[in-house]
Amino acid sequence: MSESPVPIMHNNLLPILSVRPIRALVDEPFKVLVENLRPGSPVTLHSLHLSEDGDYTEAFGHYVSSEWGTVSVADDFSFGGTYSGKEPMGLLWSQRPVPGGRRDLRLMKTVATTPMLVHISVYSGHLTGGFQDQVPLASVLTERWYMAPGVKRVSVKEGNILGTLFIPPGPGPFPGLLDMWGGGGGLIEYRAALLASHGYVSFALPYVSPDQGPVDERLFESVFNMIKTHPQVIPDKVGLFGLSLGAIITLYLAMESKVVRPACCVCISGTHSFIRDKDSAQSISLDTLGDYSKVRVDENNHSIWHDITLPISTDFSRKLDMSKINCPLMLVSGTDDQNVASVEAAEDMAQMIHAAGKDHLLTKLVYPGAGHVIQPPFAPHCRFSWIMDVKKGQKYTLLWGGQTKPHSDAQEDSWKKILAFLQMHLYSSSSPRARM
């Protein structure tokens, strides 16, 4: 850690730190500005977040004040830290566990009704650690929300349906979305809350059973019908949104279900590789997704699942027939996905869709250097994290992949395009369908 220089206030005025907006949705950029510094002063901008599980994450950048005694994170270059260059949101997306903290965690919001609280501080000098032992020149507490004002959260428990519905403010009716995460299981609400903040009645569905047994497609059909018949939902404007296993299920429903007729689908880091369960044509199991003898382990004992579905089969009994697609489909993948062969799968799906003469339905986004867990923008990049194998009663660490800067760029760019895609196909009356 470098020595702190002499006090750097300018004209005997204390430094002023401002963050605008100080309260915003998590996908909204902010502007961080420091004023009243002595020109040419080295300072460190630092962010600190305490998760709901009690884990601290931080990010920091090194700046030099301008001839006017200011530092603007949106306009000025960081010369070092957890990010470098002109990065307006680097204080968020480059966050990592503080020294001594648990390092195999994935930062996830568990309570969607409360904001993420992020302390932004400015320190004298170019610091690389020990922030807790230093007195900042100024600090600001910011609020980052997944739920916009007026969004309603409704817990649902009807028959075999369990989950959470998020309803935008206003009378509606609105388009609807079924939001599904991956095979880690549990109820994950924050993306559905954010989608509702953008005008979609969104249902967060926990569909993976504790023993990770097969999932019955009739559950998804029941949920889809529940969303479609909700009084504040436009019945023919309900889409599917899935990541990882959720993307696989999205594709399965769009291709195979006789009940689910989505208006559009968004699939992040998924595959169409699928071995049909011999015991039930209506179930999907993690065990049927690929050859798990191909799982590799890296030098850090992180499990790499990328190869379990490779090579992509030419046998249609081992993958979904993408020629059946009848609604607009967006595929999002990263070239450093170490968990699913999503880039290879997207290419094969695109070829099948092209052969069926349905190119007009496909939007394919491939991001160099991005990993598996592509989230809404500015979320800290998670290259690996642990999951629990309930069947074996043990936890192990999965390698998700991705390099921090390109992965973060992919999150920001893909989210803008996902929202535009949903706007076009769920709010527009001219959305393309398959040419029958």
Side-chain angles (χ1 to χ4, degrees), residues 15-43:
I16 297 175
L17 172 65
S18 60
V19 180
R20 295 190 177 91
I22 197 169
R23 183 180 297 109
L25 288 176
V26 294
D27 58 354
E28 294 181 60
F30 58 30
K31 291 189 176 182
V32 179
L33 178 66
V34 188
E35 300 172 281
N36 290 351
L37 298 171
R38 183 172 296 166
S41 299
V43 295

Side-chain angles (χ1 to χ4, degrees), residues 74-105:
D75 302 308
D76 298 335
F77 280 79
S78 167
F79 297 101
T82 56
Y83 64 97
S84 59
K86 187 187 294 187
E87 297 292 348
M89 303 302 290
L91 287 169
L92 294 185
W93 58 252
S94 72
Q95 282 206 340
R96 61 191 186 187
V98 299
R102 293 187 292 171
R103 308 200 66 81
D104 57 349
L105 300 176

Side-chain angles (χ1 to χ4, degrees), residues 45-47 57-61 63 78 80-84 87-98 103 107 378-382 404-405 408 411:
L45 270 297
H46 179 260
S47 67
T57 55
E58 67 177 358
F60 59 93
Y63 293 89
S78 167
T82 56
Y83 64 97
S84 59
E87 297 292 348
M89 303 302 290
L91 287 169
L92 294 185
W93 58 252
S94 72
Q95 282 206 340
R96 61 191 186 187
V98 299
R103 308 200 66 81
L107 180 62
F378 317 133
H381 167 232
C382 176
T404 300
K405 166 63 174 164
S408 301
Q411 291 188 151

Side-chain angles (χ1 to χ4, degrees), residues 106-109 146 181 188 190-191 243 268 372-382 407-408 410-412 414-415 418:
R106 178 170 145 202
L107 180 62
M108 297 173 61
K109 193 77 173 68
Y146 284 96
W181 286 80
I188 303 175
Y190 61 89
R191 189 173 63 196
L243 180 144
I268 301 174
H372 183 70
V373 188
I374 298 176
Q375 301 197 77
F378 317 133
H381 167 232
C382 176
H407 185 91
S408 301
Q411 291 188 151
E412 185 173 0
S414 65
W415 185 249
I418 286 169

